[in-house]
Amino acid sequence: DAKTTQPTSMDCAEGRAANLPCNHSTISGNEYVYWYRQIHSQGPQYIIHGLKNNETNEMASLIITEDRKSSTLILPHATLRDTAVYYCIGSGNTGKLIFGQGTTLQVKP
Amino acid sequence: ETGVTQSPTHLIKTRGQQVTLRCSSQSGHNTVSWYQQALGQGPQFIFQYYREEENGRGNFPPRFSGLQFPNYSSELNVNALELDDSALYLCASSLVGAGKNTGELFFGEGSRLTVL
């Protein structure tokens, strides 16, 4: 699995877009970029994943740079319920994920 | 569609004892992965079960073992408990099969184990 680097923490104002960066310069060609989040005392929740192209679903958008060395998760209109630890993971599609420390996102009113 | 369920939600054991944690996978899923999450850390991969066989293992000693049953549910067994085994144990299910691998995991809420 690719090593990923994320900021330890970030703040975002409620209603504004939250942009969470992730560096994964060692990602290999067949590894996906996965994003999960974990709200306090709950199990991790899948958000989105992508290989090369940008992806969007009902929760978020994922922007992957052309060289695939970094990506950004975008929550378009953050709410207080989006306060969580966000994990960026570079992995094959085997389900064996290597979690790092993640980014603690605090959404403030 | 039922989600991933784990039991028990909380339990307390003493050092040297053995523990069994249980997981029911999401309907339609055939693969179960187990993770250990210590306080303040990200989840750590323990092992994965597919077709009732272990299909990959993280850096955990043999006293961590598992089973997967024909209905795809799973157990995690830990023998000779140590204080450092105190953690949240997470089960995640996924669907693996021809053309269906997405790598997306669905996690349960976890079993919190305290070893005294």
Side-chain angles (χ1 to χ4, degrees), chain A residues 16-77:
Chain A
R16 304 297 292 269
N19 296 282
L20 291 89
C22 179
N23 288 320
H24 34 77
S25 58
T26 62
I27 197 168
S28 64
N30 62 349
E31 287 182 323
Y32 293 79
V33 179
Y34 291 91
W35 283 85
Y36 283 76
R37 73 179 182 184
Q38 188 172 24
I39 296 169
H40 183 62
S41 298
Q42 297 183 19
Q45 177 190 25
Y46 167 83
I47 302 173
I48 198 167
H49 76 284
L51 186 61
K52 288 188 283 192
N53 299 322
N54 298 338
E55 302 287 345
T56 295
N57 63 19
E58 64 279 2
M59 288 183 68
S61 294
L62 174 60
I63 309 297
I64 303 173
T65 58
E66 194 168 338
D67 63 9
R68 301 212 327 125
K69 292 185 177 181
S70 66
S71 62
T72 301
L73 178 74
I74 301 172
L75 308 178
H77 306 286

Side-chain angles (χ1 to χ4, degrees), chain A residues 34 36 38 94-97, chain B residues 35 37 48 55 101-102 105:
Chain A
Y34 291 91
Y36 283 76
Q38 188 172 24
T94 61
K96 303 166 193 171
L97 303 178
Chain B
Y35 289 78
Q37 187 173 25
Q48 183 185 83
N55 180 40
N101 295 27
T102 66
L105 298 183

Side-chain angles (χ1 to χ4, degrees), chain B residues 85-101:
Chain B
D85 295 334
S86 294
L88 181 67
Y89 288 85
L90 295 159
C91 169
S93 72
S94 56
L95 177 60
V96 172
K100 295 176 182 168
N101 295 27

